[in-house]
């Protein structure tokens, strides 16, 4: 069981993405680079208000070739899609408590990129959510979402 935001956690996610035939079937063909900016929102015990984490995901024909955290924000122009996600929302998705489609539609997740591609491949979002929520065995050393509720 890997702790959230660790290298081992990212590697497990990559393996699950590549081992799931639904990901490959629903992913767009071609090469896509994705940047996720996780923003400390004052609710997460993992990122303080104002702190940020960045991770990159490279997809090639439905296969995840890279999924890693980077220490500094890379140039935004190098990515096809950028997701800006409050930490408590990202962690809620990872815990299977927050629907990413609903959060995106409400504007809680800010998305930059060609929305036509995302709409065309909406089933992929559901598959990814299912992987985060049900297949990744995440440990929560500083507490599991929802925060402030016991």
């Amino acid at each position: 069981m890997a702790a959230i935001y660790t290298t081992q956690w990212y590697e497990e996610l990559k393996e699950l993405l590549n081992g799931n035939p639904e990901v490959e079937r629903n992913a767009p063909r071609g090469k896509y680079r994705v940047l996720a900016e996780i923003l400390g929102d004052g609710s997460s015990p993992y990122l303080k208000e104002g702190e940020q984490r960045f991770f990159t995901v490279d997809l090639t024909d439905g296969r995840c070739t890279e999924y890693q955290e980077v220490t500094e924000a890379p140039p935004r122009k190098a990515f096809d899609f950028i997701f800006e996600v409050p930490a408590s929302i990202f962690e809620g998705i990872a815990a299977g408590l927050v629907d990413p489609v609903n959060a995106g539609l409400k504007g809680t997740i800010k998305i930059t990129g060609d929305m036509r591609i995302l709409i065309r491949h909406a089933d992929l979002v559901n598959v990814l959510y299912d992987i985060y929520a049900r297949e990744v065995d995440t440990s929560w050393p500083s507490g599991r979402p929802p925060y402030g509720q016991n």
Side-chain angles (χ1 to χ4, degrees), residues 4-5 14 33 48 60 74 77-78 85 95 104 110 119 137 141:
I4 191 164
Y5 297 124
K14 180 180 172 185
R33 296 206 70 214
K48 295 178 183 157
T60 302
K77 65 183 178 190
V85 188
K110 183 180 174 190
I119 291 167
D137 196 10

Side-chain angles (χ1 to χ4, degrees), residues 13-14 17-18 23 57-60 62-67:
L13 278 168
K14 180 180 172 185
L17 292 173
N18 287 332
V23 172
V57 179
D58 288 358
L59 300 169
T60 302
R63 303 272 309 155
C64 181
T65 56
E66 180 180 293
Y67 192 164

Side-chain angles (χ1 to χ4, degrees), residues 9-25:
W9 189 72
Y10 294 119
E11 284 300 315
E12 285 182 22
L13 278 168
K14 180 180 172 185
E15 288 174 23
L16 287 168
L17 292 173
N18 287 332
N20 188 313
E22 290 296 310
V23 172
E24 190 170 355
R25 183 178 10 258

Side-chain angles (χ1 to χ4, degrees), residues 24-99:
E24 190 170 355
R25 183 178 10 258
N26 289 294
R29 300 298 97 187
K31 292 184 179 191
Y32 293 93
R33 296 206 70 214
V34 178
L35 172 65
E37 297 180 356
I38 311 302
L39 312 168
D41 58 3
S43 297
S44 167
Y46 300 94
L47 274 88
K48 295 178 183 157
E49 181 96 34
E51 287 184 334
Q52 297 177 306
R53 287 185 180 262
F54 305 95
F55 63 86
T56 62
V57 179
D58 288 358
L59 300 169
T60 302
D61 294 330
R63 303 272 309 155
C64 181
T65 56
E66 180 180 293
Y67 192 164
Q68 69 177 359
E69 186 168 352
V70 295
T71 55
E72 294 182 19
R76 294 172 69 87
K77 65 183 178 190
F79 295 90
D80 299 293
F81 294 99
I82 300 168
F83 297 89
E84 296 175 51
V85 188
S88 60
I89 298 299
F90 178 76
E91 294 155 13
I93 292 168
L97 302 173
V98 175
D99 178 347

